[in-house]
Short mmCIF file of all heavy atoms in Angstrom, two decimals:
data_model
loop_
_atom_site.label_atom_id
_atom_site.label_comp_id
_atom_site.label_asym_id
_atom_site.label_seq_id
_atom_site.Cartn_x
_atom_site.Cartn_y
_atom_site.Cartn_z
N ASN A 17 2.54 -19.80 -29.43
CA ASN A 17 1.76 -19.37 -28.27
C ASN A 17 2.63 -19.11 -27.04
O ASN A 17 2.12 -19.11 -25.91
CB ASN A 17 0.70 -20.42 -27.93
CG ASN A 17 -0.30 -20.61 -29.05
OD1 ASN A 17 -0.79 -19.63 -29.61
ND2 ASN A 17 -0.61 -21.86 -29.37
N GLU A 18 3.92 -18.90 -27.26
CA GLU A 18 4.81 -18.68 -26.11
C GLU A 18 4.37 -17.46 -25.30
O GLU A 18 4.05 -16.40 -25.85
CB GLU A 18 6.26 -18.49 -26.57
CG GLU A 18 7.23 -18.30 -25.41
CD GLU A 18 8.70 -18.29 -25.84
OE1 GLU A 18 8.97 -18.63 -27.01
OE2 GLU A 18 9.55 -17.95 -25.01
N LYS A 20 5.74 -15.23 -22.18
CA LYS A 20 6.86 -14.93 -21.28
C LYS A 20 6.32 -14.16 -20.07
O LYS A 20 5.78 -13.06 -20.21
CB LYS A 20 7.90 -14.10 -22.02
CG LYS A 20 9.18 -13.90 -21.25
CD LYS A 20 10.25 -13.24 -22.11
CE LYS A 20 10.82 -14.21 -23.11
NZ LYS A 20 11.95 -13.65 -23.86
N LYS A 33 8.80 -9.89 7.85
CA LYS A 33 7.87 -8.89 7.34
C LYS A 33 6.84 -9.57 6.44
O LYS A 33 7.09 -10.64 5.87
CB LYS A 33 8.61 -7.82 6.54
CG LYS A 33 9.66 -7.04 7.33
CD LYS A 33 9.03 -6.14 8.36
CE LYS A 33 10.08 -5.29 9.07
NZ LYS A 33 9.49 -4.42 10.11
N ALA A 36 2.79 -7.79 0.58
CA ALA A 36 1.60 -8.03 -0.24
C ALA A 36 1.97 -7.90 -1.72
O ALA A 36 2.60 -6.92 -2.12
CB ALA A 36 0.50 -7.06 0.12
N LYS A 45 1.51 -12.86 -10.47
CA LYS A 45 1.47 -13.06 -9.01
C LYS A 45 1.53 -14.53 -8.61
O LYS A 45 2.40 -14.95 -7.85
CB LYS A 45 0.18 -12.44 -8.43
CG LYS A 45 -0.02 -10.96 -8.70
CD LYS A 45 -1.25 -10.41 -7.99
CE LYS A 45 -2.54 -11.09 -8.41
NZ LYS A 45 -2.91 -10.86 -9.83
N THR A 47 2.13 -17.11 -10.50
CA THR A 47 3.30 -17.76 -11.10
C THR A 47 4.52 -17.56 -10.21
O THR A 47 5.32 -18.49 -10.00
CB THR A 47 3.59 -17.20 -12.50
OG1 THR A 47 2.46 -17.46 -13.35
CG2 THR A 47 4.82 -17.86 -13.12
N THR A 71 16.75 -23.41 -5.73
CA THR A 71 16.32 -23.35 -7.14
C THR A 71 15.99 -24.72 -7.70
O THR A 71 14.99 -24.89 -8.43
CB THR A 71 17.41 -22.69 -8.00
OG1 THR A 71 17.82 -21.46 -7.40
CG2 THR A 71 16.88 -22.42 -9.41
N PRO A 89 -10.25 -23.43 0.05
CA PRO A 89 -10.12 -23.84 1.46
C PRO A 89 -9.85 -25.33 1.66
O PRO A 89 -9.45 -25.73 2.76
CB PRO A 89 -11.48 -23.46 2.07
CG PRO A 89 -12.02 -22.40 1.18
CD PRO A 89 -11.54 -22.77 -0.20
N PRO A 95 -9.72 -33.27 3.70
CA PRO A 95 -11.13 -33.21 4.13
C PRO A 95 -11.66 -34.49 4.75
O PRO A 95 -12.53 -34.45 5.63
CB PRO A 95 -11.88 -32.88 2.83
CG PRO A 95 -10.87 -32.18 1.99
CD PRO A 95 -9.58 -32.87 2.29
N GLU A 111 9.18 -35.13 8.16
CA GLU A 111 9.63 -36.31 8.89
C GLU A 111 9.06 -37.58 8.25
O GLU A 111 8.05 -37.54 7.56
CB GLU A 111 9.16 -36.26 10.35
CG GLU A 111 9.63 -35.05 11.12
CD GLU A 111 9.05 -35.02 12.52
OE1 GLU A 111 8.61 -36.08 13.01
OE2 GLU A 111 9.02 -33.93 13.12
N LYS A 120 0.39 -38.84 18.39
CA LYS A 120 0.97 -39.13 19.71
C LYS A 120 0.07 -38.49 20.76
O LYS A 120 -0.23 -37.29 20.69
CB LYS A 120 2.38 -38.56 19.80
CG LYS A 120 3.39 -39.29 18.92
CD LYS A 120 4.78 -38.72 19.13
CE LYS A 120 5.80 -39.45 18.26
NZ LYS A 120 7.15 -38.89 18.43
N ASP A 133 -6.02 -20.44 19.72
CA ASP A 133 -5.64 -19.12 19.22
C ASP A 133 -6.59 -18.62 18.14
O ASP A 133 -6.73 -17.42 17.93
CB ASP A 133 -4.21 -19.15 18.66
CG ASP A 133 -3.16 -19.18 19.76
OD1 ASP A 133 -3.51 -18.86 20.91
OD2 ASP A 133 -2.00 -19.50 19.47
N LYS A 145 -14.49 -34.59 11.20
CA LYS A 145 -13.83 -34.60 9.89
C LYS A 145 -13.88 -33.20 9.29
O LYS A 145 -14.87 -32.49 9.40
CB LYS A 145 -14.51 -35.61 8.96
CG LYS A 145 -14.22 -37.06 9.35
CD LYS A 145 -14.71 -38.03 8.31
CE LYS A 145 -14.32 -39.47 8.68
NZ LYS A 145 -14.75 -40.44 7.67
N LEU A 149 -16.53 -28.92 8.18
CA LEU A 149 -16.27 -27.55 8.62
C LEU A 149 -16.68 -26.55 7.56
O LEU A 149 -16.76 -26.88 6.37
CB LEU A 149 -14.77 -27.37 8.93
CG LEU A 149 -14.15 -28.28 9.99
CD1 LEU A 149 -12.67 -27.93 10.15
CD2 LEU A 149 -14.88 -28.18 11.31
N LEU A 159 -4.35 -22.44 7.61
CA LEU A 159 -3.39 -21.40 8.00
C LEU A 159 -2.57 -21.85 9.20
O LEU A 159 -1.34 -21.73 9.22
CB LEU A 159 -4.15 -20.12 8.31
CG LEU A 159 -3.35 -18.90 8.71
CD1 LEU A 159 -2.48 -18.42 7.55
CD2 LEU A 159 -4.28 -17.77 9.16
N LYS A 165 4.94 -25.35 11.98
CA LYS A 165 6.35 -25.68 12.15
C LYS A 165 7.25 -24.46 12.00
O LYS A 165 8.46 -24.57 11.80
CB LYS A 165 6.76 -26.76 11.14
CG LYS A 165 5.95 -28.04 11.24
CD LYS A 165 6.45 -28.97 12.34
CE LYS A 165 7.63 -29.77 11.89
NZ LYS A 165 7.88 -30.94 12.75
N LYS A 182 -17.51 -11.25 5.57
CA LYS A 182 -17.40 -11.34 7.02
C LYS A 182 -16.36 -12.38 7.44
O LYS A 182 -15.50 -12.12 8.29
CB LYS A 182 -18.76 -11.70 7.63
CG LYS A 182 -18.76 -11.75 9.15
CD LYS A 182 -20.15 -12.07 9.70
CE LYS A 182 -20.13 -12.14 11.22
NZ LYS A 182 -21.47 -12.46 11.78
N LYS A 192 -3.02 -12.11 10.47
CA LYS A 192 -2.13 -11.08 11.02
C LYS A 192 -1.62 -11.46 12.40
O LYS A 192 -0.43 -11.31 12.70
CB LYS A 192 -2.88 -9.75 11.08
CG LYS A 192 -2.00 -8.57 11.51
CD LYS A 192 -2.77 -7.27 11.43
CE LYS A 192 -1.86 -6.08 11.78
NZ LYS A 192 -2.58 -4.80 11.68
N ILE A 200 6.72 -14.65 11.27
CA ILE A 200 6.91 -15.42 10.04
C ILE A 200 7.02 -14.49 8.84
O ILE A 200 6.17 -13.62 8.63
CB ILE A 200 5.73 -16.40 9.82
CG1 ILE A 200 5.61 -17.35 10.99
CG2 ILE A 200 5.94 -17.19 8.53
CD1 ILE A 200 4.40 -18.26 10.91
N THR A 202 6.36 -13.46 5.31
CA THR A 202 5.16 -13.83 4.55
C THR A 202 5.06 -13.07 3.23
O THR A 202 5.37 -11.87 3.16
CB THR A 202 3.89 -13.53 5.38
OG1 THR A 202 3.99 -14.20 6.65
CG2 THR A 202 2.64 -13.99 4.67
N SER A 216 -0.15 -5.81 5.77
CA SER A 216 1.21 -6.04 5.28
C SER A 216 2.12 -4.90 5.69
O SER A 216 1.67 -3.83 6.12
CB SER A 216 1.22 -6.19 3.75
OG SER A 216 1.01 -4.93 3.14
N LYS A 226 6.77 -7.47 -14.21
CA LYS A 226 7.70 -6.45 -13.74
C LYS A 226 7.13 -5.72 -12.54
O LYS A 226 5.92 -5.58 -12.41
CB LYS A 226 8.01 -5.45 -14.86
CG LYS A 226 8.74 -6.08 -16.04
CD LYS A 226 9.04 -5.03 -17.10
CE LYS A 226 9.79 -5.66 -18.29
NZ LYS A 226 10.05 -4.67 -19.35
N GLU A 247 -5.92 1.89 -14.16
CA GLU A 247 -5.19 2.36 -15.34
C GLU A 247 -4.58 1.17 -16.09
O GLU A 247 -4.60 1.14 -17.32
CB GLU A 247 -4.08 3.33 -14.92
CG GLU A 247 -4.61 4.70 -14.51
CD GLU A 247 -3.52 5.59 -13.95
OE1 GLU A 247 -2.37 5.11 -13.77
OE2 GLU A 247 -3.81 6.79 -13.69
#
Side-chain angles (χ1 to χ4, degrees):
N17 297 315
E18 182 172 349
K20 188 172 286 186
K33 300 291 184 182
K45 302 185 300 295
T47 299
T71 310
E111 302 176 20
K120 290 183 179 179
D133 285 343
K145 288 189 176 181
L149 302 181
L159 181 66
K165 302 278 279 197
K182 183 178 179 180
K192 186 175 183 179
I200 301 175
T202 305
S216 73
K226 295 181 180 178
E247 286 174 354

